[in-house]
Amino acid sequence: QVQLVESGGGSAQAGESLRLSCVASGIRFDMNTMAWYRQAPGKQREFVADMANFGNTNYADSVKGRFTIIRDDAKNTVYLQMDDLKPADTGNYICNAQRLGTSHWGRGTQVTVYS
């Protein structure tokens, strides 16, 4: 059974930092592209960042220079380091694992940023 379990969400003031974690089980973690998405209330889910198994990374324009995606294959864990948070970063942050057209999702961890 595949499980992606996110943690690390919470409340922060604008300009502060948070670090999210996603622990995966039931997949070949080192073979998956790991990603973070987010969904704000009333809005569609949007891509935040991903990291392929060979290390290539992609970021949404809105988070470039502020967020960093990190993976630790030995711990089956992907992190999202979020610095200089903005109120627009508020949302449910959801972990995703993709490989060969198969996609798995976590339930997310809530991040709320106050101005």
Side-chain angles (χ1 to χ4, degrees):
Q1 181 181 359
V2 178
Q3 282 193 314
L4 302 177
V5 181
E6 302 93 336
S7 62
S11 299
Q13 294 289 329
E16 293 183 340
S17 299
L18 285 174
R19 184 177 176 100
L20 307 182
S21 301
C22 169
V23 180
S25 59
I27 60 171
R28 276 292 307 274
F29 185 87
D30 60 340
M31 299 292 287
N32 277 261
T33 292
M34 300 303 298
W36 287 95
Y37 288 74
R38 67 187 180 191
Q39 188 165 18
K43 294 187 177 181
Q44 289 190 331
R45 184 175 296 181
E46 64 173 358
F47 170 79
V48 175
D50 70 11
M51 178 178 265
N53 59 333
F54 50 85
N56 190 45
T57 57
N58 296 288
Y59 294 92
D61 288 342
S62 58
V63 307
K64 278 181 183 176
R66 300 187 299 118
F67 289 12
T68 305
I69 187 168
I70 304 159
R71 64 187 292 159
D72 186 339
D73 288 357
K75 295 182 179 180
N76 283 8
T77 301
V78 61
Y79 304 94
L80 186 68
Q81 177 66 39
M82 306 187 295
D83 298 319
D84 191 22
L85 283 162
K86 304 179 186 300
D89 296 320
T90 294
N92 187 37
Y93 281 71
I94 305 159
C95 181
N96 171 266
Q98 291 187 48
R99 181 187 177 218
L100 300 177
T102 298
S103 189
H104 301 285
W105 297 89
R107 293 188 175 184
T109 184
Q110 178 67 32
V111 172
T112 304
V113 184
Y114 297 98
S115 58

